[in-house]
Amino acid sequence: MEKILTVVVPAYNMEAYLEYCLDSLCVGRDDLEVLIVNDGSKDATSVIAHGYAEKFPQVFRVVDKENGNYGSCVNRGLQEARGKYIKILDADDSFDRENFGLFLDFLEETDADLVLSDFAVVDVERRIRKIIRYNLGQGNLFQMDKVCNSVVFKNMQMHAVAYRKENLLRLGYRQTEGISYTDQQWVFIPMITVRSVAYFNRYVYKYLIGRPGQTMNPDIRLKNIS
């Protein structure tokens, strides 16, 4: 079956979080591809990932590679992806299962270059703390030049975006490897290819904050931001 969406899951030493993440993607859809890119993990990340690939081979695939940091996982995922659209999901985060199923239905009905969806911020107990809404107005399809100057669009985050894969391939997009905090590259560089935007007005991505070792932890960010 043709895949409408590839979800790329970069994963390094994520054994404590990966099952929760992958469970959130089990929505019974064969038009979905989940590509878990194991970045040379030293724990059970690869074993967990392969367990899902064995149980749901029509959906889950695993790429085991040498450690190369986050950008190398995105690049490998883009190289391997089979879906019409591509979205990134960090291995400590998750999707809302009910809304995700509806999101896949929405993708089947659109042909936009960029598909936006709202996202939720959750704490370590997975409780929703806030929901980021894009509120582009009535309708599902917009021209890029009509929405790109809105305040909410200027504050775009990676959790909201799904790109048409063809756009990224045509651009020759590659993420910088060996550094942290490359989310903004994923948000902004492919935007130069976008002419049409579709808006799905429910939250799909659930962004976890507050876990130990997270790159957004203030102490780690202070050490690595340069």
Side-chain angles (χ1 to χ4, degrees), residues 118-187:
D118 301 335
F119 69 92
V121 178
V122 302
D123 61 22
V124 292
E125 296 182 357
R126 304 290 180 170
R127 296 174 299 190
I128 293 176
R129 290 305 187 180
K130 62 180 177 179
I131 298 175
I132 308 301
R133 301 191 187 279
Y134 286 86
N135 295 327
L136 293 184
Q138 295 299 318
N140 295 323
L141 188 63
F142 306 88
Q143 295 305 304
M144 178 66 162
D145 59 0
K146 302 298 184 184
V147 298
C148 66
N149 283 322
S150 65
V151 172
V152 69
F153 201 97
K154 290 178 182 178
N155 290 327
M156 187 65 56
Q157 296 188 50
M158 62 85 66
H159 320 297
V161 304
Y163 289 112
R164 183 201 293 268
K165 184 186 67 177
E166 178 184 336
N167 286 36
L168 282 79
L169 295 179
R170 187 168 62 246
L171 179 65
Y173 177 81
R174 282 189 61 80
Q175 195 125 315
T176 303
E177 299 188 7
I179 64 172
S180 299
Y181 311 110
T182 55
D183 288 2
Q184 295 306 310
Q185 285 187 321
W186 182 250
V187 169

Side-chain angles (χ1 to χ4, degrees), residues 22-174:
L22 300 183
D23 280 346
S24 76
L25 303 176
C26 294
V27 291
R29 296 285 294 260
D30 289 348
D31 57 352
L32 167 67
E33 175 184 52
V34 178
L35 188 60
I36 308 150
V37 184
N38 171 39
D39 194 32
S41 297
K42 297 177 175 63
D43 63 2
T45 292
S46 179
V47 173
I48 294 169
H50 280 282
Y52 281 81
E54 291 170 7
K55 189 174 182 180
F56 306 105
Q58 71 278 16
V59 174
F60 291 91
R61 286 199 293 140
V62 183
V63 173
D64 291 304
K65 56 181 284 301
E66 293 183 0
N67 182 259
N69 211 300
Y70 191 87
S72 69
C73 295
V74 173
N75 292 336
R76 183 64 179 271
L78 182 56
Q79 177 184 333
E80 298 272 350
R82 300 169 182 166
K84 177 180 177 181
Y85 290 96
I86 186 166
K87 189 169 178 67
I88 307 251
L89 173 61
D90 290 346
D92 55 345
D93 296 331
S94 60
F95 283 173
D96 181 272
R97 289 180 65 174
E98 180 179 353
N99 289 341
F100 182 42
L102 296 173
F103 180 69
L104 292 171
D105 291 338
F106 184 84
L107 291 182
E108 295 279 7
E109 298 172 358
T110 190
D111 199 41
D113 296 322
L114 168 67
V115 181
L116 293 182
S117 53
D118 301 335
F119 69 92
V121 178
V122 302
D123 61 22
V124 292
E125 296 182 357
R126 304 290 180 170
R127 296 174 299 190
I128 293 176
R129 290 305 187 180
K130 62 180 177 179
I131 298 175
I132 308 301
R133 301 191 187 279
Y134 286 86
N135 295 327
L136 293 184
Q138 295 299 318
N140 295 323
L141 188 63
F142 306 88
Q143 295 305 304
M144 178 66 162
D145 59 0
K146 302 298 184 184
V147 298
C148 66
N149 283 322
S150 65
V151 172
V152 69
F153 201 97
K154 290 178 182 178
N155 290 327
M156 187 65 56
Q157 296 188 50
M158 62 85 66
H159 320 297
V161 304
Y163 289 112
R164 183 201 293 268
K165 184 186 67 177
E166 178 184 336
N167 286 36
L168 282 79
L169 295 179
R170 187 168 62 246
L171 179 65
Y173 177 81
R174 282 189 61 80

